[in-house]
Every structure is written in structure tokens, then in C-alpha cells.
Amino acid sequence: MRVPLPAGRAGEVRVTLDPLTHPLAEGRWDCYLVPRGATRGRRRLVCEVAERARRVGRAPLTAPDGETASALPYATADGFLAVRAWRRAAHAEVTRITVGAEATTVRAALPVPGTARSSCRSRARASPVTSASPRARTARASSSRSRTLRPGVSGHTRWDLYLRVPAHDVPVTLGRIGGDVIDRNKTDILPAARHGDETEARVMFTGAHNLAFEVRRP
């Protein structure tokens, strides 16, 4: 994607990248400066500060086509400017996670009002998760980890969580793409629960900011 640079004072230019008017496919985007009218000579932009304070606690945006979108600037490990973008046709934003001794409860905002049922699946199989009927645009799902989710033959299984919503033909992912965090799998670490001597389970965010259960043998 190319965004033209507006006229400005020497050495200072301001560019606004709106995730609704400048839709980016989900992923990580490096930022470059290219001379006007040129096809070569691009230079990566150095990032001194990537300010995300205004996004703290904010929900993701809803595009005119109904997709859910979010975008955040950040500095790469080598000091260049990049943008982390999310854009999903079907997404339920997680608003609260409560970890109990026997179960984990997840609350999420539905993309459309109506009923839904929650499920989880690993690469090997799928399993239902006990859930309550949502009201308006929120849903509450609860799972007893020791009874429903068990590790695979390897001793470790990751169960991805999603919702089945009648308004969508595909499963709706549960995740948290709002706010100001670039890598929730590194910062939003929730406690694990032990079930006897054989199973340890915890809810986690994946690298894509989707919600999952990790079940393993200690």
C-alpha cells in the first residue's frame, strides 16, 4: 500500500494511516519512504517512538463492510517503524477472563446480536464447551478444563476457542485485538491450574491474539 506524502515544512511531514480508510491485510507491515514517481530507492523509516497510549482499553474498529479491524505502530527489534494489523470477517473481542480452580470463564463481545454456542478444537479433534446463551452483543462461555480438555498422545495439546454464530457461515474466533498491545502471547500470561498429578491447563493468547487452552502433562 502506498500513501502520498502531503506538503509540509522542510524535514517534517505528517501522515495519517486509518485502518478503516487504509485497510491492511492481517499481519506485520514494514514502512518505507519512496521518492515520488520512483520505483526504486526506497528507504526504511527509523522509529524513535511508537506511541500507542490512546489505544489503551479501546475496542477494535468496525469497518463499513462489517469486518473487525485494528492497527498499531511499533518499533522492530532493529529500530525501524512497522505496523501490526488485524482484519477479520468474523471476530468476538474478549472482554474478561476469569480463571477459577475448576473452570475458566470467558466473556466476549459478539460481532452481531443473537445466540451463539462456543466450541474448542485441536488439530486432532473438536469438543464442545459449556456455555450460556448470550444477551444482546455479549457472550459468556465456561469450560471445566479437567473434564473436557485433555492432552494428546504427545502429552501436550493446544485447543483453539471459537464461537458458532448463526449469522456467520464460518466459526468466529475469540481473541483480543483491541487495545495497545502488540504481542499478547508475551504480556498477557494467565495462571495455569493443576488437576491432580496428571494434567495442567491454562488459557492463553496465541501469536495472532486468538484465545486458546493449553493442556499438558507436567
Side-chain angles (χ1 to χ4, degrees), residues 81-165:
L81 178 64
V83 176
R84 176 68 167 98
W86 295 267
R87 194 172 184 91
R88 301 178 176 181
H91 173 77
E93 183 75 358
V94 172
T95 56
R96 177 182 294 183
I97 301 172
T98 304
V99 179
E102 297 297 330
T104 292
T105 300
V106 177
R107 293 180 183 271
L110 293 174
V112 293
T115 60
R117 60 187 178 89
S118 53
S119 301
C120 59
R121 62 185 176 189
S122 67
R123 293 182 179 181
R125 59 196 187 278
S127 175
V129 177
T130 304
S131 63
S133 299
R135 294 182 298 175
R137 286 181 177 265
T138 61
R140 178 176 179 271
S142 179
S143 172
S144 175
R145 291 161 295 181
S146 61
R147 299 176 183 176
T148 305
L149 310 179
R150 298 190 180 280
V153 177
S154 65
H156 173 266
T157 301
R158 195 184 79 180
W159 297 79
D160 297 316
L161 293 169
Y162 62 95
L163 292 175
R164 293 282 187 179
V165 181

Side-chain angles (χ1 to χ4, degrees), residues 14-63:
R14 176 174 298 212
V15 177
T16 300
L17 188 66
D18 188 327
L20 297 184
T21 56
H22 302 93
L24 297 174
E26 183 155 340
R28 296 176 185 266
W29 294 74
D30 295 327
C31 298
Y32 296 86
L33 181 66
V34 181
R36 195 180 303 275
T39 57
R40 290 185 173 184
R42 68 179 188 178
R43 300 175 60 183
R44 290 190 71 180
L45 294 178
V46 175
C47 179
E48 294 184 355
V49 177
E51 180 60 64
R52 299 187 294 271
R54 293 185 180 181
R55 294 297 303 167
V56 174
R58 300 288 295 274
L61 305 174
T62 301

